[in-house]
Amino acid sequence: MKQYLGIEFGSTRIKAVTVNEQLAAAQSGDYTWESTLDKGIWTYDLNEAVTGMKAALSSITDRENIQSMGVSGMMHGYLAFDKDWNLLVPFRTWRNTMTGQAAKELSALLDINIPQRWSIAHLYQALLNKEEHTAQIAHITTLAGWIHHMLTGKNVLGIGEASGVFPIDSTCMDYDAAKLAKADALLRAKGAKFSLREILPDVLPAGVEAGKLSKSGAALLDNMLPEGLSFVAPEGDAGTGMVATNAVAARTGNVSAGTSIFAMVVLEKSLGKPYEEIDMVCTPSGLPVAMVHCINCSSDANEWVALFGEVARLFGADPGRGELFSKLYQHSLEGDTDCGGVLVCNYLAGEHITHMNSGVPLVARKQNAGFNLANFFRAQLYASLATLKIGMEILEQEQVSIDSLMGHGGLFKTPGVAQQYLADAIGTDIYVMETAGEGGPYGMALLAGYMLKKKDGQSLEDFLTEQVFGAVKMSRLSPNAAGREGYLRYIDGFKKLLAVEKTAVDALQE
């Protein structure tokens, strides 16, 4: 049976997913990896990226029936290469908050919010820092873009992924030419010997071929896939998450929650002004999107789950990881709606939305707090959503209309828990599809299928609605009045806790 393949390089897993001829999820394989903090910079080993890709792909059977494929990955960050595609400095990921000066100057110059994690911010900061490698730069790209180049020889990005590299002009489906000219002048003044157009990947929308698996690319994969296999353009995990939840049309949106958490809302019109907390990016078909991106989500809670597992084993029990998560998530529902006065700041890294350059996880409680397991773990899950809630308040002020908001990612795997908390936090209905656990690689596989299976002139939005999600089951949870009131009390305490967090960061960071 024909298959369409998506491989995504997430922050904790490299995952391969296929969809069948009916565009339903068919097979999957994965490989666990993690970032490392090397001399103050969050990075990944690119050799492990290749190892993990092959490991994930090896779990897919009947690979000779794969018709097309695509690669996606963590958006943003900085991968710089010389003319021969030799890596100049270790991969700088989206998690780094080291480009504050560059982001501020570029945002003012271009009249659009340039977040610290965007590739252009990393490039300009390297020039400001007078880093030696900038004299050799011939290419910059993202993780997905580099993998795509390794496999096909083509230096391209999907428009959604490209929108996290440099601002996009949706009317021409390319980098904004006027902003390129302004940025080039600024970069040349700081010693750049290149123009941005020369070093940036080309931009492609969804639905067009972006290259074929080359002989060297097939060899890199140990010939597990045949030379000549068609590729779609590499996309970012934000865009593939939107595809995976059918949230690519105006007035729709999604929340992707795992190691990081972000909301993507497809706009009917531009926001009234630029906001430092809001990124303007694109869907894979080029529609404008307001993105609220938070670096910290489930990592701190995951570490607490592991600690509780150690406690259980100390007493002779040996619950599986999945059981631990499920039990603790479900038990949190028994806590008070405001967590009984228990507060958590889950910052393992900095957060631009709350203006933190670094993070120190904190647990605080009032003297008369209801300090029990249910309240403690509910506070952990509330904290996972807290910074997103703060960012979404801006869209409320802008009166952005949202018809539906879809949740996907690991935070929603336990039914009815984080989904309810998010509904209470945001104040809108939250949907979760039965395919939500597949996430981005499933969305990437659908983009591969769209290239070959779309009808003449059929938009990505119509393709997903008509051919993919028409019969997909989903759950809907609405805000609960008591839960909504409780979360608002919690978020008020969380905002006050940020003053303590700032002091802790200043006192404890190395």
Side-chain angles (χ1 to χ4, degrees):
M1 181 179 289
K2 292 180 179 179
Q3 297 186 89
Y4 307 89
L5 171 66
I7 300 178
E8 183 157 288
F9 293 78
S11 55
T12 59
R13 286 192 304 169
I14 299 169
K15 188 172 182 180
V17 168
T18 62
V19 297
N20 58 24
E21 189 68 0
Q22 289 73 44
L23 300 170
Q27 300 186 71
S28 67
D30 65 5
Y31 174 90
T32 300
W33 70 337
E34 60 182 353
S35 59
T36 57
L37 189 62
D38 182 13
K39 299 178 182 177
I41 296 175
W42 291 104
T43 188
Y44 290 85
D45 181 351
L46 295 189
N47 291 322
E48 189 179 9
V50 175
T51 299
M53 174 170 53
K54 291 191 289 188
L57 187 57
S58 67
S59 296
I60 304 297
T61 61
D62 303 321
R63 292 187 294 269
E64 68 277 4
N65 293 324
I66 294 172
Q67 306 297 301
S68 58
M69 68 173 292
V71 175
S72 56
M74 298 170 278
M75 285 183 73
H76 319 301
Y78 182 69
L79 280 165
F81 301 89
D82 66 14
K83 61 182 179 60
D84 298 316
W85 285 89
N86 296 307
L87 185 66
L88 296 173
V89 289
F91 174 29
R92 298 172 182 178
T93 79
W94 56 272
R95 198 173 188 179
N96 291 290
T97 51
M98 54 191 287
T99 63
Q101 180 183 354
K104 182 177 181 180
E105 291 185 20
L106 287 166
S107 296
L109 176 72
L110 303 179
D111 194 31
I112 185 174
N113 179 42
I114 303 293
Q116 289 201 46
R117 65 188 175 280
W118 278 27
S119 305
I120 183 61
H122 279 280
L123 174 63
Y124 182 43
Q125 190 68 54
L127 287 165
L128 290 174
N129 295 344
K130 295 181 169 39
E131 296 186 37
E132 291 183 4
H133 80 271
T134 57
Q136 302 176 63
I137 291 176
H139 312 283
I140 66 167
T141 189
T142 64
L143 179 58
W146 175 71
I147 294 289
H148 183 90
H149 177 265
M150 292 280 286
L151 296 177
T152 69
K154 300 293 184 182
N155 185 22
V156 300
L157 292 178
I159 192 169
E161 175 80 327
S163 67
V165 172
F166 192 87
I168 293 291
D169 180 351
S170 293
T171 61
C172 66
M173 306 291 279
D174 200 355
Y175 303 115
D176 188 304
K179 288 179 170 55
L180 279 175
K182 289 183 178 181
D184 272 335
L186 179 65
L187 268 57
R188 281 196 296 270
K190 300 300 181 182
K193 305 300 182 184
F194 49 77
S195 71
L196 287 171
R197 181 64 74 177
E198 291 172 344
I199 68 170
L200 294 179
D202 293 334
V203 180
L204 291 176
V208 300
E209 188 176 81
K212 296 181 183 295
L213 185 61
S214 66
K215 182 176 181 179
S216 61
L220 185 68
L221 296 175
D222 296 334
N223 295 304
M224 286 189 285
L225 294 173
E227 182 181 348
L229 182 65
S230 293
F231 274 69
V232 291
E235 266 297 349
D237 52 0
T240 57
M242 299 185 81
V243 172
T245 52
N246 194 22
V248 295
R251 297 172 65 98
T252 67
N254 79 322
V255 174
S256 175
T259 303
S260 64
I261 185 169
F262 52 85
M264 308 281 288
V265 179
V266 187
L267 302 178
E268 296 178 284
K269 60 180 181 179
S270 299
L271 300 180
K273 63 178 182 178
Y275 291 92
E276 180 182 352
E277 300 86 354
I278 306 293
D279 304 359
M280 292 306 302
V281 292
C282 296
T283 69
S285 56
L287 296 180
V289 174
M291 180 181 189
V292 181
H293 186 283
C294 312
I295 290 175
N296 300 279
C297 182
S298 64
S299 293
D300 186 38
N302 293 350
E303 293 185 4
W304 280 102
V305 171
L307 181 69
F308 292 137
E310 286 188 44
V311 174
R313 289 189 292 276
L314 184 65
F315 286 91
D318 191 17
R321 181 176 171 84
E323 183 183 6
L324 273 168
F325 275 94
S326 179
K327 290 285 189 183
L328 288 166
Y329 272 54
Q330 291 169 352
H331 186 64
S332 74
L333 292 169
E334 299 178 20
D336 299 319
T337 58
D338 63 353
C339 305
V342 179
L343 293 167
V344 169
C345 182
N346 63 327
Y347 289 1
L348 284 162
E351 282 289 0
H352 72 285
I353 285 178
T354 52
H355 312 290
M356 296 287 181
N357 290 326
S358 187
V360 175
L362 296 177
V363 178
R365 54 191 169 105
K366 299 176 182 178
Q367 289 175 321
N368 61 346
F371 190 59
N372 54 50
L373 181 59
N375 280 335
F376 173 78
F377 206 76
R378 190 169 183 135
Q380 285 287 343
L381 296 178
Y382 273 22
S384 297
L385 306 170
T387 309
L388 180 76
K389 159 64 178 169
I390 293 169
M392 291 291 285
E393 289 172 355
I394 296 171
L395 299 187
E396 292 177 28
Q397 296 165 12
E398 283 274 346
Q399 299 182 321
V400 171
S401 298
I402 305 174
D403 291 338
S404 62
L405 200 59
M406 299 284 182
H408 77 108
L411 202 68
F412 300 106
K413 281 188 175 182
T414 301
V417 182
Q419 182 183 3
Q420 183 64 62
Y421 297 159
L422 181 60
D424 295 339
I426 303 300
T428 192
D429 290 354
I430 304 297
Y431 295 79
V432 173
M433 295 180 179
E434 63 180 7
T435 55
E438 299 295 346
Y442 168 65
M444 194 69 240
L446 291 177
L447 287 172
Y450 172 61
M451 178 176 68
L452 297 184
K453 292 179 66 65
K454 67 181 184 296
K455 301 171 185 176
D456 289 344
Q458 188 177 36
S459 68
L460 177 61
E461 302 93 281
D462 289 342
F463 171 79
L464 294 175
T465 298
E466 295 168 7
Q467 297 193 47
V468 181
F469 293 109
V472 170
K473 295 179 181 179
M474 65 181 71
S475 67
R476 182 187 73 180
L477 289 179
S478 302
N480 174 279
R484 174 75 171 156
E485 181 182 347
Y487 195 92
L488 291 178
R489 287 198 298 272
Y490 180 88
I491 199 67
D492 181 61
F494 182 89
K495 290 175 181 177
K496 294 174 181 176
L497 184 63
L498 290 176
V500 182
E501 171 71 8
K502 186 178 189 307
T503 300
V505 168
D506 291 344
L508 300 177
Q509 68 180 351
E510 296 178 359

